[in-house]
Amino acid sequence: MSQANNLLRLDTRTSKRSTMLLEQSIAKPRRDKVSLNAFAFLFAEIIRYSQNRVLGIQDLEAKLNELGKRVGVRVFELFMWREKSVHRETRVLPTLMFINTVVWRALFDKQADSLGRSTDNEDEYMITDNEPNILKYISAPKEMSSFSPGAFLAGIVEAIAEGCQCPAR
């Protein structure tokens, strides 16, 4: 009978731990970060896997963008779940400021370098990161010189913007 009680207590602790993990503040420093090397290896494998299943560079970028959107939706949900004090912005500029500062810091341990408006189109904005961590160890062969693995980041930003009811393309 004592073993059954121990198992019951163990299950209770595990569910409390899971609940606590979801309720942790994103703004607080974490000790359970994924190393950059592990993430770079995983991202390189995602690119390699996707590259074998597409016909051209544009298809590969579209595939990475779609994968980034899937990650972005989950990141947005996690932010809204954890940060009870954060309200969902529905205007474009506050949404982009939220992505530029809070989201970027949570994902990459730093704020993006700049947020700017396009001179060509009034409805275009650009988030600039001069040295994105996830692209640090990615290199493309010469025949794929126009390939941009940053399409993954664009997908994350696009999903978060759409989650805030701001149209993105």
Side-chain angles (χ1 to χ4, degrees), residues 8 23 32 36 47 61 67 79 100-101 117 122 136 149:
L8 182 61
E23 292 175 355
D32 56 343
L36 181 58
I47 291 173
E61 288 176 351
L67 290 171
F79 268 103
N100 187 42
T101 56
R117 186 179 216 161
E122 285 198 20
K136 191 179 278 188

Side-chain angles (χ1 to χ4, degrees), residues 126-150:
M126 297 165 277
I127 296 175
T128 306
D129 190 351
N130 295 330
E131 294 182 24
N133 288 340
I134 74 166
L135 306 180
K136 191 179 278 188
Y137 301 109
I138 303 297
S139 60
K142 289 181 182 178
E143 63 270 3
M144 295 182 69
S145 61
S146 65
F147 169 63
S148 173

Side-chain angles (χ1 to χ4, degrees), residues 95-158:
T95 298
L96 291 174
M97 289 298 296
F98 171 71
I99 294 169
N100 187 42
T101 56
V102 177
V103 173
W104 222 262
R105 190 172 291 123
L107 292 177
F108 308 115
D109 285 337
K110 66 175 191 158
Q111 183 175 328
D113 294 324
S114 68
L115 171 64
R117 186 179 216 161
S118 173
T119 56
D120 298 335
N121 299 325
E122 285 198 20
D123 67 340
E124 266 185 15
Y125 293 87
M126 297 165 277
I127 296 175
T128 306
D129 190 351
N130 295 330
E131 294 182 24
N133 288 340
I134 74 166
L135 306 180
K136 191 179 278 188
Y137 301 109
I138 303 297
S139 60
K142 289 181 182 178
E143 63 270 3
M144 295 182 69
S145 61
S146 65
F147 169 63
S148 173
F152 182 77
L153 293 176
I156 292 173
V157 170
E158 189 175 341

Side-chain angles (χ1 to χ4, degrees), residues 20-35:
M20 289 173 53
L21 182 66
L22 286 174
E23 292 175 355
Q24 286 178 353
S25 174
I26 290 181
K28 292 180 184 175
R30 300 178 316 225
R31 283 181 255 136
D32 56 343
K33 296 180 185 176
V34 175
S35 73

